[in-house]
Amino acid sequence: MTATLEPRAIGRDLARRDGAAKVRGTAVYADETPVADPLFCRIVQATVARGRVTEVDTADAAALDGVVTVLTSTDAERLASTDDAELAVLQGTEVGFRGQIVAAVLAETDEVAREAVDLVRVTYAAEEHDARLAADRDDLYTPESVNPTYPPDTHEGDMAAAMAEAPMTLEATYTTPMHHNNPMEPHATTALWDASGAGHLTLWDSTQGVHPVRQTVTQIFALEPEQVRVICPFVGGGFGSKGTPHANVIMAALAARAVPGRPVRFALTRQQMFSLAGYRTPTIQRMQLAAERDGRLRGIAIDVVEQTSRIKEFAEQTGVPTRNMYAASNRRTTHRLAALDVPVPSWMRAPGECPGMFGPEVAMDELAAALGIDPVELRIRNEPEVDPETGKPFSSRNLVACLREGAERFGWAGRDHRPGVRLEDGWWVGTGVAASVYPTMRMPKSTATVTYDAGRFVGRIGAADLGTGAWTVLPQITADALGVPVEDVDVLIGDTDHPEASVAGGSSGTTTWGSALVEAVREFRDKYGDHPHDGDAASGSVNPNAAEEDYAMSAFGAQFAEVRVHADTGEVRVPRLHGVFAAGRIVNPRLARSQFLGGMTMGLGMALHEQSLLDPRTGHVVNHDLAEYHVPANADVDDLQAHWIDEDDPYVNAMGSKGIGEIGIVGTAAAVANAAWHATGVRVRDLPVTLDRVLPAR
Amino acid sequence: MRPFAYATPPDAREAVLAVAERPDASFLAGGTNIVDHLRLGVATPGLLVDVTALTSAEIEDLPDGGLRIGAAVRNSDLAADHRVRARYPVLAQALPSGASGQLRNMATTGGNPLQRTRCVYFQDVTTPCNKREPGSGCAAIGGATRNHAILGASEHCIATHPSDMAVALAALDAQVQVLGPDGDRTIPFTDLHTLPGSTPEHDTVLGHGDLITAIDVPALPLATRSRYRKVRDRASYAFALVSVAACLDVADGEVHDVRIALGGVAHKPWRAHRAEEALRGAPATDESYRAAAEAALTDALPQEGFDGGNAFKIPLLTGTLVSTLRELAGEETRT
């Protein structure tokens, strides 16, 4: 147990420090890094989903005025490591998915590069591909682990017996479609190798972690860490898609390698982001619930089928939240994968929890309806005393408080639980609830330094701010650790010249980097006391949290939705969406609210709009732009509220904080689907809840 | 994306001749559609002739009480015009339901009806498309067809026309003023757009070099009671799954006169003559409206697709039409 900091700057409603620069347009993003005389890279993508490139005719492209070079797998430099097939850019002729990079053009202007890629002619020996996910495939396999290192299957007790013997059982299949992260800023890199031939590479990259990018790049190009600098002050959103470097980063470095001394800009187009920057796998979730008549679960099971790419495995941990959400002595969770000729899936906001709380939370709603129990009450009755999976007590678990607070704020009391009985002005009206959960994660490695200079303290750590607020909350934490006003503290981030930091992923940033800064301050005060001199500096690293041995740690929440369904057209609207969260101490209420609301809005998109349509005939996503891949528009969002309860958790970290970047998206879609059922009586088990799926309500 | 020349001729006549003499020339007005297509490689003109300043940006009263809308009138200005709002609510409602504020500030009256039909495969040069490349096949058939046609499609093309404004103009019996290489002519708006048939590369009857200079909307007292209802997958900034433009005159509980056009269902704004015929003289009831929808959808043919297809458009259009007419008739009760 770490002594919790006395909150002075922590908890203050401070405006984001980078806000003014962003509003004024002076914040510099990767693709607009001011560099002298850049070249522009554009790519040619495979138009078959499986096969081999037999010929790349680059003559016309190379002949174009302004084209510097055309790169293909025949002439691109051999990379030192091709173990990661996603990153083995232009290293062979095999095509693993449609959209894979098969050639690239470097030109003096972006316009010429664009023209030139149209002139590159690629011939393929196409092979029959397979891009159709189904639960009844005969080639499903069990991965060794699911993201990041969970066992794929768990069995506790006897689920089959529970299903056979329980007075009430429920069995249903739920699906979530393929989703794409779609951050506003596309994946972009400006890359520069030094002209001297010393092999020094600078990457200005839009990333959730400069050090993870450096680590990958050093492996792939066989470089020492000192030879690579990655810089990223600002990120226009990532949602996981910039958490691990994708092929675009290697492409940029590889292209720049061909022209040492000249910077190269490479940004994916929106369409290219649908095949090269990761995505969330579609999921098929078969749920089983076995319950007593009073709603207490005797058993809960989830059997997940999802996809990965044939060339690289990513196994979404969809079944994991079912392992410790509710008390049930019999539990089964399984994951089966289909390896398809499709782009490589990866992290997307709350991997595991986000899709994995759809099936269970709709199933709980169905169970509540079947038993005639208030769905809020059903969840309360299944609240575990200890983590059902590990038997450890929770460091803090306030799901029940969130449900009660949310019910109070939302006006849940007195709800008529019957579905399809409220028609107001031609709209069926209903309400729904679902629970949220997200584990409190701490990454094993991160280091920070603190320096004193001219009356100010400067922290340095290679952290990332993807709009999440790190530029602002890290000074708050450092100030409280130092016991000085936050105005006297700067924390510099986003550069591998700063000490090594972990990825901004798993909602772990504030915990991990904040802990490193607190340790650095502790060192600093130990060495220099309360009266440092200019230039005094100290370093500290995040420690493993010993309390994790004894406690399970997660944030929880409850989401309440009101849904209206037009009686004639089936149009689905969500006039109210209220979330209440218990996520430890909130470091900055203003930024936290943004995080929660952003997560909930993305959850609303998952509920109503988002689905990547992967055409099984071609193997590519055909609605690959923001006109066709719908995310919520302002008109879709009306009364959206995020609240939190005061949670005092002395075990999580010195800040008392839990991660909040992802929990907002967890459970939202289930709350909306449950409300849509309550409105219409139509149970939608497949996302998104589009009008044609509720139209039969008429 | 290919390089292209850009010209700004002094007047409309010169612009028409400039386009007419080069097979690879295109007009450029607001650019809200063609610029996308340039970027995507869907359109590859060698010459863009900018006509934005060459046609009228005024809305004039016509002697019969109608309006002449200059081709350069921006969608946002047209939507805000008090005469349009008073005489043709259906048009004033259709305009702001399309695109976004930024796009409506750019899009013009002449350009809006000429936006190409919308289809993800048309927009994706890596897939076959008879509209983009005649004879290459239609990738949409059997593909993602949620947004595709249920009326008037062919084995060559199942795309839908995306304009909301055009659906309203089809209901209003608008007339299109065209300046071509051989002079002026007038085309009924409902004849402007074509069905795909075996020549889906053509969206309209306009020839190469034909320039829309204005759109006339005739006096139509009935249109003061009119409405545009658009149904889409999100609350704004999305193309119609279906839409209904309707003008309704009810007297003594009977439909005296009616105009109906449908959007999101065909390669062109779909004037629903059969529905109108079924309604004239019929009691103003849900049953009549439903029968009118059935009449309009007699020949409807939904598309299958890996995304679930678009059979839902039949009940959806029925519900939308019934709901729109009921609201126009001012009926409170559901049947």
Side-chain angles (χ1 to χ4, degrees), chain B residues 245-257:
Chain B
C247 314
L248 184 67
D249 180 13
V250 174
D252 302 326
E254 274 191 5
V255 175
H256 183 243
D257 201 2

Side-chain angles (χ1 to χ4, degrees), chain A residues 2-332:
Chain A
T2 318
T4 309
L5 296 173
E6 186 186 332
R8 284 173 293 240
I10 289 175
R12 278 179 63 193
D13 185 48
L14 299 175
R16 65 171 71 233
R17 290 188 170 192
D18 47 336
K22 285 180 173 171
V23 170
R24 292 181 182 130
T26 57
V28 175
Y29 290 83
D31 193 50
E32 53 193 19
T33 308
V35 288
D37 205 17
L39 292 170
F40 294 83
C41 180
R42 289 266 174 176
I43 53 169
V44 181
Q45 295 178 278
T47 55
V48 301
R50 181 169 185 162
R52 199 163 41 83
V53 173
T54 53
E55 194 194 345
V56 184
D57 179 354
T58 62
D60 290 351
L64 200 65
D65 197 25
V67 169
V68 174
T69 186
V70 183
L71 296 169
T72 70
S73 67
T74 5
D75 47 31
E77 178 175 333
R78 295 303 94 182
L79 297 168
S81 166
T82 55
D83 295 345
D84 185 332
E86 183 191 4
L87 302 180
V89 177
L90 297 180
Q91 298 301 297
T93 56
E94 292 296 315
V95 175
F97 61 91
R98 185 168 169 132
Q100 181 180 316
I101 300 173
V102 292
V105 169
L106 266 180
E108 297 287 345
T109 69
D110 194 30
E111 290 75 13
V112 170
R114 279 176 100 149
E115 186 185 0
V117 291
D118 288 346
L119 298 175
V120 175
R121 269 174 292 279
V122 185
T123 314
Y124 302 92
E127 292 166 28
E128 198 176 329
H129 69 264
D130 182 356
R132 200 185 293 267
L133 178 66
D136 60 359
R137 291 179 65 102
D138 59 12
D139 61 348
L140 299 174
Y141 73 98
T142 309
E144 277 186 25
S145 65
V146 295
N147 178 61
T149 54
Y150 293 108
D153 295 357
T154 59
H155 297 273
E156 196 79 32
D158 186 343
M159 187 63 202
M163 286 300 284
E165 293 159 14
M168 174 63 76
T169 60
L170 183 139
E171 185 159 350
T173 298
Y174 305 84
T175 67
T176 64
M178 186 183 204
H179 287 139
H180 276 80
N181 313 57
N182 272 316
M184 185 117 67
E185 182 202 16
H187 294 64
T189 312
T190 300
L192 173 65
W193 291 85
D194 70 320
S196 70
H200 187 277
L201 171 66
T202 306
L203 295 169
W204 293 269
D205 185 42
S206 181
T207 176
Q208 293 174 224
V210 288
H211 287 96
V213 169
R214 184 176 72 174
Q215 189 183 1
T216 300
V217 168
T218 50
Q219 279 168 10
I220 285 180
F221 288 89
L223 300 167
E224 295 303 318
E226 309 79 61
Q227 290 176 284
V228 181
R229 183 176 178 194
V230 183
I231 300 168
C232 179
F234 306 110
V235 187
F239 311 117
S241 71
K242 296 170 183 171
T244 54
H246 294 292
N248 61 295
V249 181
I250 307 307
M251 182 70 251
L254 191 63
R257 185 89 144 182
V259 287
R262 284 198 76 176
V264 169
R265 294 200 198 281
F266 178 49
L268 294 183
T269 65
R270 180 64 57 185
Q271 287 82 359
Q272 289 165 351
M273 289 167 69
F274 280 81
S275 47
L276 291 170
Y279 63 92
R280 194 195 307 286
T281 173
T283 71
I284 302 166
Q285 311 172 20
R286 192 172 68 105
M287 289 297 309
Q288 289 180 326
L289 298 179
E292 312 296 343
R293 293 244 170 259
D294 66 3
R296 280 179 299 118
L297 288 175
R298 208 183 268 191
I300 183 168
I302 182 169
D303 298 302
V304 179
V305 174
E306 50 200 16
Q307 77 188 33
T308 185
S309 163
R310 188 169 51 83
I311 66 164
K312 179 179 177 178
E313 183 183 282
F314 176 83
E316 177 113 5
Q317 71 273 36
T318 305
V320 166
T322 295
R323 294 175 185 172
N324 62 4
M325 194 62 201
Y326 296 114
S329 47
N330 303 290
R331 293 189 313 280
R332 181 184 73 242

Side-chain angles (χ1 to χ4, degrees), chain B residues 3-327:
Chain B
F4 54 84
Y6 171 81
T8 52
D11 58 39
R13 159 75 39 200
E14 293 286 322
V16 165
L17 293 176
V19 169
E21 74 186 17
R22 271 188 71 162
D24 67 342
S26 286
F27 292 115
L28 172 70
T32 56
N33 192 224
I34 198 171
V35 172
D36 280 355
H37 289 165
L38 289 168
R39 289 186 170 138
L40 295 168
V42 170
T44 53
L47 172 67
L48 282 184
V49 176
D50 192 335
V51 294
T52 322
L54 307 185
T55 56
S56 167
E58 301 296 321
I59 304 166
E60 300 166 51
D61 281 294
L62 291 171
D64 74 341
L67 291 176
R68 169 160 295 176
I69 307 160
V73 173
R74 305 286 177 174
N75 283 180
S76 43
D77 293 334
L78 184 58
D81 186 88
H82 66 94
R83 293 161 295 181
V84 172
R85 294 164 68 99
R87 297 178 208 172
Y88 312 106
V90 66
L91 180 58
Q93 291 167 17
L95 283 156
S97 77
S100 66
Q102 294 92 328
L103 288 166
R104 294 192 295 271
N105 287 341
M106 291 300 291
T108 63
T109 301
N112 180 310
L114 298 185
Q115 57 188 303
R116 304 301 306 272
T117 54
R118 185 93 194 174
C119 169
V120 292
Y121 299 96
F122 172 63
Q123 300 226 103
D124 183 344
V125 296
T126 69
T127 61
C129 170
N130 289 322
K131 185 180 291 289
R132 195 170 8 84
E133 238 179 288
S136 62
C138 174
I141 293 172
T145 58
R146 182 174 183 80
N147 297 315
H148 287 75
I150 54 171
L151 289 167
S154 76
E155 60 184 311
H156 303 286
C157 180
I158 60 170
T160 48
H161 200 272
S163 169
D164 294 296
M165 180 181 92
V167 182
L169 291 174
L172 292 171
D173 294 319
Q175 303 284 315
V176 184
Q177 304 295 340
V178 176
L179 175 64
D182 303 322
D184 297 320
R185 67 187 198 280
T186 303
I187 302 171
F189 192 87
T190 48
D191 292 345
L192 176 66
H193 298 90
T194 51
L195 290 175
S198 58
T199 55
E201 64 272 26
H202 297 296
D203 289 354
T204 69
V205 298
L206 296 181
H208 189 65
D210 279 345
L211 176 68
I212 293 177
T213 55
I215 292 179
D216 294 350
V217 189
L220 190 65
L222 161 80
T224 56
R225 281 237 298 212
S226 65
R227 182 178 288 257
Y228 186 72
R229 177 77 162 91
K230 178 175 180 177
V231 179
R232 45 186 154 179
D233 271 331
R234 68 178 161 194
S236 82
Y237 199 34
F239 296 100
L241 291 167
V242 304
S243 70
V244 170
C247 314
L248 184 67
D249 180 13
V250 174
D252 302 326
E254 274 191 5
V255 175
H256 183 243
D257 201 2
V258 63
R259 299 282 185 283
I260 298 171
L262 311 175
V265 293
H267 196 260
K268 60 182 291 185
W270 190 268
R271 180 68 179 268
H273 291 293
R274 283 184 194 163
E276 293 176 8
E277 283 157 26
L279 277 170
R280 285 193 188 95
T285 62
D286 272 18
E287 286 73 18
S288 300
Y289 306 149
R290 207 171 291 277
E294 265 174 43
L297 292 166
T298 308
D299 297 330
L301 202 62
Q303 295 291 329
E304 293 181 355
F306 75 84
D307 62 344
N310 68 4
F312 71 90
K313 283 191 174 184
I314 290 173
L316 178 60
L317 186 67
T318 304
T320 308
L321 183 62
V322 169
S323 158
T324 307
L325 293 173
R326 184 199 303 137
E327 285 175 25

